[in-house]
C-alpha cells in the first residue's frame, strides 16, 4: 500500500499537533482524500460508531483484500489519531473506536455538502490563470537552483527586503540539508557532494526535502508547524487558482508564504493588495501524484544520446543545460539546442563531485522521450558510464600503519592479526615476513595491545 509522504510525516508529529491540524475542516477533508482506499473504507464504516469494534470484525469488512494492506491501513489510521487500540478481552488486543478527540471534526468533514470552503482565508474571489501559474512556478524554482549553482546572481530586487529575507531563509535551509556550504565572509555558495546529487533528483523529491527541512526548523514552534501543514493540506482541496490577501495574514505566516514562493509553490501578485495563489505544483505535491506523470519538469524538453556519446538537448531551459554541463563536455549551443559529448574527463569530474553513474543514467532516461517519439539510451553509453565510475574506485588512499619486526615471535604476530580483524580495521598482511597493515584509527588500540602482550611475555 502506497501512503502519501505528507501523511507519513503527520504520523511522526505529537498527538496534540495532529489534533490541531485536523481541527481545520479543510485539513480534515484533505487528509481524508489522501488516505488509501482501504483506510477510507475503514473510516466510513466506523466514523459514527461509539463502541469498540473487534479486530477480526474489522478485517472481515474487507474480505478478499490483502491482509498486509489492511494492517498497513489500520496502522496509518492509528498514527493519524483516527483509531486507538484498546483491550476488549483479557489477553487479546482489539481495534478500538475512532479516536474521540477527532470524531466531531471527522463527522463534519464526511457530512459536509457543497464546494470546499477555506478556513484559512483562501477564496476564488481572486483568481489566477493556471497556465500562467504553472510557467511562473517552473521559472521560479529554476531561478533558485541556478542561484545555488552560481549561474544567477541576486535573483531578488534590492528594494524588496521581504524577498531578500526569503532567499536568505532558503539559503539556510539548503545549508542545513548539507546541499551547499555558505561562506559568510565572501558571500558565496558552494554546492556539496550531496547538493550535486540533489540537482539530479525529480522536482517533487527536491521540494519535499526542503519542505521537511523547513518543518524540522519549526519543530519547536507548534503554531507555525500547524499553519504550514494546514496551508499545504488545504491547498490540495481547493479549486486551482484560489488565492488570498497576504496582508490579512500574520507576520510569521507571511514569512512562510514567501519561503514557499521561492520554491515555486506560492505565486505572489500585486493588485490593489498583495495576493498569493497556490500553484499547480503545490496541488500535485500534496495530492500524492507524481509530478513527472503530469508532464511537469520534462514537458517541452528532450535529450537524445547517440551511440557515439554525442548528446543533443532540445531545450531552452538554462537550468537543464547547466546541469548537463556538470557531466558532459559542451560542443556548441544554439537558442533551443545544446550539443554535448559524454567523455571520460567530464564524467570523472562529475563522479569526484559526488554524482553517481546511476543518477546520470536515471536523469538522461527521464528526458529521453517526448510525446510519441521514443528514444532509448544506448546500452554501450550506460556501460561506459559505470566503467568510468569504477576507474575511480580501483585505488583508494587511506591512512594506515605498518606493523613489522615481530622477529621470531609468531604468536604475537597472530595475536595482532586477530586483534586487527576483530576491530574491523585490518587492511593487509604478509605472513611470510610477518607484516600487517591496519587503518590509522586502530593504531592506538593495537599499540596498547602489543605493549600488554609483550609485558606479559616478559
Amino acid at each position: 500500500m502506497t501512503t502519501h509522504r505528507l501523511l507519513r510525516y503527520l504520523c511522526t508529529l505529537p498527538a496534540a499537533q495532529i489534533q490541531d491540524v485536523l481541527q481545520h475542516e479543510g485539513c480534515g477533508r484533505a487528509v481524508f482524500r489522501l488516505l488509501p482506499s482501504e483506510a477510507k473504507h475503514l473510516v466510513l464504516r466506523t466514523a459514527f460508531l461509539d463502541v469498540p469494534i473487534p479486530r477480526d470484525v474489522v478485517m472481515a469488512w474487507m474480505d478478499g483484500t490483502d491482509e498486509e494492506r489492511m494492517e498497513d491501513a489500520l496502522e496509518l489510521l492509528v498514527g493519524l489519531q483516527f483509531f486507538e487500540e484498546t483491550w476488549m478481552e483479557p489477553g487479546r488486543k482489539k481495534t478500538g473506536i475512532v479516536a474521540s478527540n477527532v470524531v466531531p471534526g471527522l463527522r463534519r468533514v464526511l457530512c459536509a455538502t457543497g464546494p470546499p470552503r477555506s478556513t484559512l482565508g483562501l477564496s476564488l474571489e481572486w483568481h489566477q490563470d493556471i497556465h500562467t501559474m504553472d510557467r511562473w512556478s517552473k521559472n521560479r524554482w529554476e531561478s533558485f537552483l541556478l542561484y545555488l549553482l552560481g549561474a544567477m546572481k541576486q535573483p531578488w530586487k534590492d528594494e524588496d527586503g521581504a524577498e531578500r529575507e526569503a532567499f536568505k531563509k532558503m539559503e539556510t535551509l539548503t545549508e542545513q540539508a548539507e546541499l551547499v556550504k555558505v561562506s559568510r565572509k565572501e558571500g558565496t555558495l558552494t554546492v556539496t557532494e550531496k547538493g550535486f546529487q540533489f540537482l539530479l533528483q525529480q522536482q517533487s523529491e527536491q521540494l519535499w526535502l526542503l519542505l521537511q527541512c523547513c518543518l524540522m526548523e519549526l519543530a519547536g514552534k507548534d503554531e507555525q508547524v500547524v499553519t504550514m501543514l494546514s496551508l499545504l493540506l488545504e491547498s490540495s482541496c481547493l479549486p486551482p487558482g484560489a488565492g488570498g490577501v497576504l496582508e490579512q495574514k500574520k507576520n510569521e505566516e507571511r514569512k512562510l508564504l514567501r519561503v514557499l514562493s521561492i520554491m515555486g509553490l506560492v505565486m505572489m501578485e500585486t493588485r490593489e493588495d498583495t495576493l498569493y495563489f497556490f500553484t499547480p505544483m503545490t496541488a500535485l505535491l500534496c495530492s500524492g501524484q507524481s509530478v513527472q506523470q503530469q508532464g511537469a519538469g520534462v514537458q517541452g524538453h528532450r535529450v537524445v544520446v547517440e551511440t557515439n556519446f554525442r548528446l543533443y538537448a532540445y531545450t531552452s531551459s538554462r537550468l537543464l543545460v547547466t546541469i548537463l554541463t556538470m557531466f558532459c563536455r559542451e560542443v556548441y549551443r544554439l537558442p533551443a539546442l545544446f550539443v554535448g559529448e559524454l567523455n571520460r574527463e567530464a564524467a570523472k569530474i562529475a563522479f569526484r563531485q559526488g554524482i553517481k553513474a546511476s543518477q546520470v543514467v536515471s536523469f538522461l532516461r527521464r528526458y529521453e522521450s517526448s510525446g510519441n517519439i521514443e528514444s532509448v539510451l544506448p546500452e554501450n553509453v550506460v556501460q561506459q558510464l559505470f566503467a568510468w565510475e569504477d576507474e575511480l574506485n580501483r585505488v583508494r588512499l587511506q591512512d594506515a600503519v605498518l606493523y613489522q619486526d615481530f622477529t621470531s615471535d609468531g604468536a604475537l604476530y597472530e595475536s595482532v592479526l586477530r586483534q586487527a580483524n576483530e576491530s574491523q580495521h585490518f587492511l593487509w598482511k604478509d605472513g611470510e615476513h610477518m607484516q600487517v597493515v591496519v587503518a590509522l584509527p586502530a593504531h592506538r588500540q593495537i599499540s596498547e595491545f602489543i605493549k600488554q602482550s609483550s609485558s606479559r611475555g616478559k
Side-chain angles (χ1 to χ4, degrees):
M1 183 181 70
T2 302
T3 304
H4 187 249
R5 56 169 68 98
L6 203 52
L7 295 185
R8 292 198 298 268
Y9 181 82
L10 275 175
C11 290
T12 65
L13 296 178
Q17 284 189 358
I18 297 177
Q19 294 166 23
D20 289 340
V21 171
L22 294 179
Q23 74 178 357
H24 295 277
E25 182 179 329
C27 296
R29 182 185 299 109
V31 169
F32 181 76
R33 288 178 57 179
L34 293 175
L35 290 175
S37 58
E38 294 84 2
K40 287 179 181 176
H41 183 95
L42 294 177
V43 169
L44 291 171
R45 292 290 295 264
T46 58
F48 296 92
L49 298 177
D50 296 322
V51 295
I53 310 298
R55 176 180 286 271
D56 52 0
V57 173
V58 174
M59 300 297 287
W61 287 343
M62 300 288 284
D63 188 30
T65 303
D66 182 27
E67 184 175 347
E68 184 178 350
R69 292 172 63 89
M70 284 294 293
E71 292 290 349
D72 290 342
L74 286 172
E75 182 181 352
L76 174 63
L77 293 174
V78 170
L80 291 172
Q81 308 293 311
F82 283 2
F83 279 10
E84 63 180 5
E85 297 281 358
T86 183
W87 291 91
M88 295 185 63
E89 298 176 14
R92 297 184 63 190
K93 195 174 185 181
K94 302 283 186 170
T95 299
I97 60 172
V98 175
S100 58
N101 47 16
V102 299
V103 163
L106 182 62
R107 289 174 177 171
R108 286 196 301 270
V109 168
L110 296 177
C111 295
T113 59
R117 294 170 297 173
S118 174
T119 60
L120 296 174
L122 299 176
S123 171
L124 285 173
E125 178 184 350
W126 307 280
H127 192 271
Q128 182 59 264
D129 178 65
I130 297 177
H131 298 294
T132 300
M133 287 194 299
D134 193 36
R135 288 194 301 270
W136 183 91
S137 174
K138 294 175 184 176
N139 291 336
R140 185 71 159 175
W141 182 240
E142 284 198 6
S143 297
F144 177 69
L145 293 183
L146 287 170
Y147 173 65
L148 289 185
L149 288 166
M152 177 180 289
K153 301 295 184 182
Q154 191 172 313
W156 63 84
K157 298 178 181 179
D158 289 329
E159 64 274 11
D160 194 341
E163 180 87 346
R164 180 174 63 254
E165 183 182 352
F167 262 97
K168 293 300 181 182
K169 178 67 174 179
M170 285 294 291
E171 276 187 21
T172 303
L173 291 178
T174 54
E175 186 179 18
Q176 291 174 350
E178 300 179 348
L179 305 179
V180 297
K181 291 181 180 179
V182 181
S183 173
R184 309 296 180 189
K185 184 177 181 180
E186 300 178 3
T188 58
L189 298 175
T190 304
V191 180
T192 64
E193 178 178 322
K194 189 175 179 180
F196 282 114
Q197 297 175 6
F198 171 82
L199 291 168
L200 297 184
Q201 293 178 347
Q202 294 190 33
Q203 185 176 354
S204 59
E205 299 297 326
Q206 295 171 336
L207 291 171
W208 178 244
L209 175 62
L210 291 181
L211 280 176
Q212 280 183 299
C213 291
C214 188
L215 290 166
M216 288 174 62
E217 190 182 40
L218 299 175
K221 307 172 184 176
D222 291 354
E223 184 178 349
Q224 293 185 40
V225 172
V226 171
T227 299
M228 187 166 186
L229 288 172
S230 300
L231 287 169
L232 293 172
L233 286 167
E234 187 168 344
S235 67
S236 67
C237 279
L238 293 175
V245 180
L246 188 65
E247 284 75 10
Q248 294 178 357
K249 311 302 292 182
K250 298 177 182 177
N251 183 51
E252 292 301 324
E253 293 175 347
R254 290 198 295 269
K255 290 181 179 180
L256 287 176
L257 287 169
R258 289 193 179 278
V259 170
L260 294 177
S261 174
I262 303 300
M263 299 184 194
L265 299 178
V266 173
M267 179 179 179
M268 300 287 185
E269 183 179 281
T270 302
R271 298 180 187 176
E272 294 181 358
D273 300 298
T274 302
L275 305 179
Y276 67 92
F277 306 89
F278 284 95
T279 65
M281 184 61 67
T282 314
L284 288 174
L285 192 65
C286 295
S287 67
Q289 302 178 46
S290 168
V291 174
Q292 187 176 349
Q293 288 175 354
Q294 300 295 325
V298 296
Q299 188 176 8
H301 311 295
R302 182 169 179 240
V303 176
V304 176
V305 180
E306 296 182 337
T307 54
N308 61 358
F309 296 89
R310 272 294 175 97
L311 181 149
Y312 301 88
Y314 299 91
T315 180
S316 56
S317 168
R318 185 179 172 188
L319 175 63
L320 178 56
V321 170
T322 303
I323 293 177
L324 288 173
T325 55
M326 288 164 45
F327 54 81
C328 74
R329 181 181 68 86
E330 179 178 345
V331 178
Y332 59 86
R333 190 184 306 190
L334 298 176
L337 174 65
F338 169 85
V339 179
E341 181 183 39
L342 294 167
N343 59 24
R344 176 183 280 104
E345 181 180 359
K348 284 189 174 182
I349 291 175
F351 298 149
R352 290 190 182 99
Q353 290 174 332
I355 298 175
K356 308 297 183 183
S358 58
Q359 293 175 320
V360 174
V361 171
S362 176
F363 182 82
L364 292 176
R365 282 177 173 160
R366 196 185 315 158
Y367 287 88
E368 69 181 356
S369 62
S370 178
N372 297 321
I373 304 176
E374 294 297 330
S375 174
V376 178
L377 192 62
E379 187 61 30
N380 70 307
V381 174
V382 174
Q383 293 178 359
Q384 189 60 64
L385 285 170
F386 283 101
W388 287 333
E389 184 181 39
D390 290 339
E391 288 180 7
L392 296 178
N393 300 326
R394 289 177 182 173
V395 178
R396 296 182 183 179
L397 297 178
Q398 184 174 356
D399 292 332
V401 179
L402 169 65
Y403 292 93
Q404 56 185 358
D405 298 329
F406 288 97
T407 61
S408 59
D409 192 350
L412 178 59
Y413 169 75
E414 292 296 335
S415 298
V416 170
L417 188 60
R418 185 165 52 254
Q419 183 70 17
N421 278 310
E422 290 176 356
S423 66
Q424 297 183 346
H425 287 93
F426 168 77
L427 297 178
W428 175 85
K429 70 174 182 178
D430 181 353
E432 182 180 354
H433 299 92
M434 288 195 292
Q435 295 177 331
V436 59
V437 175
V438 300
L440 183 59
H443 175 50
R444 184 174 180 179
Q445 177 185 351
I446 298 296
S447 297
E448 291 294 331
F449 177 78
I450 293 175
K451 289 179 182 179
Q452 294 175 5
S453 299
S454 299
S455 62
R456 286 196 301 266
K458 293 178 180 178

